[in-house]
Amino acid sequence: MRNAGQNGHNSGIGFDGGEKSIFTPYVIVSEEQLSASEQVLRAQIIPNDKRLKSDEIKALCQKSPVKRAIFHGGLNEWFPMPEMKNYSGYDRDNRTFLNANAPKNQAEILIGKLEATNKTSLESFILEDLGITGEKKERMRQGILEAIALHNRNDLLQKFQA
């Protein structure tokens, strides 16, 4: 069984005794956030002999392509953090999407669906493609019209004869 949690304080996750043995701690420290991470580094999840000073962690971060150090509790060791494959499509460090054509918000996702459908009326698109009925159908229609207007997509207005 694998357990995962994210908290810098043992008491914050409800244990401080023998229960800790079921967890493998991982601590990731960014070079830019060394001072903010000191409280986490003092937590009892890292053995005393493995608690590094800020300059030691900074040296590990500088060896890392992503400027982070990681403590792997299973190996009981610190490492420069490697660059890992990003499956999310969003670069959290630079606050950018990895694919310039990736949808950035719900309106753009909706526009993509409107472009792809073979429906010629909003009513059939909402009912058949989105599966929305009842009261929500009219709200969705208004949302679609707002998204079309927001993106200046007169071609979609013509397509759906709105």
Side-chain angles (χ1 to χ4, degrees):
M1 175 169 67
R2 299 274 184 215
N3 294 303
Q6 181 176 342
N7 194 320
H9 311 285
N10 290 328
S11 61
I13 50 179
F15 61 83
D16 59 339
E19 299 93 345
K20 287 193 306 186
S21 65
I22 65 171
F23 285 91
T24 300
Y26 296 90
V27 177
I28 300 172
V29 180
S30 168
E31 181 180 27
E32 296 175 356
Q33 301 294 327
L34 277 176
S35 60
S37 65
E38 287 181 16
Q39 188 172 3
V40 172
L41 296 174
R42 286 192 301 266
Q44 298 299 314
I45 59 174
I46 299 174
N48 287 335
D49 65 329
K50 295 299 179 176
R51 292 192 188 151
L52 300 181
K53 295 179 178 148
S54 291
D55 58 339
E56 294 171 303
I57 294 173
K58 185 174 183 176
L60 285 173
C61 289
Q62 290 174 348
K63 293 178 183 177
S64 162
V66 292
K67 302 298 181 209
R68 293 184 184 91
I70 183 169
F71 175 76
H72 187 295
L75 301 173
N76 201 31
E77 197 63 55
W78 282 93
F79 301 96
M81 187 170 178
E83 187 165 1
M84 301 170 83
K85 183 159 179 65
N86 184 335
Y87 292 99
S88 75
Y90 186 72
D91 180 346
R92 285 162 181 77
D93 294 324
N94 298 311
R95 306 272 190 239
T96 59
F97 287 89
L98 297 176
N99 177 351
N101 297 322
K104 295 174 183 61
N105 58 44
Q106 289 182 346
E108 290 187 23
I109 292 169
L110 182 60
I111 294 292
K113 288 181 179 184
L114 290 167
E115 289 172 334
T117 188
N118 61 358
K119 306 296 185 295
T120 57
S121 77
L122 283 181
E123 173 106 3
S124 61
F125 172 76
I126 294 167
L127 286 171
E128 297 169 34
D129 288 18
L130 301 180
I132 297 174
T133 60
E135 296 174 13
K136 293 181 181 179
K137 186 173 72 172
E138 183 54 34
R139 286 196 308 252
M140 178 53 73
R141 184 179 183 286
Q142 289 299 73
I144 289 171
L145 292 173
E146 288 174 18
I148 289 172
L150 178 69
H151 288 82
N152 297 318
R153 294 298 304 269
N154 291 329
D155 60 317
L156 291 176
L157 283 176
Q158 292 173 356
K159 175 179 180 177
F160 291 101
Q161 305 158 1

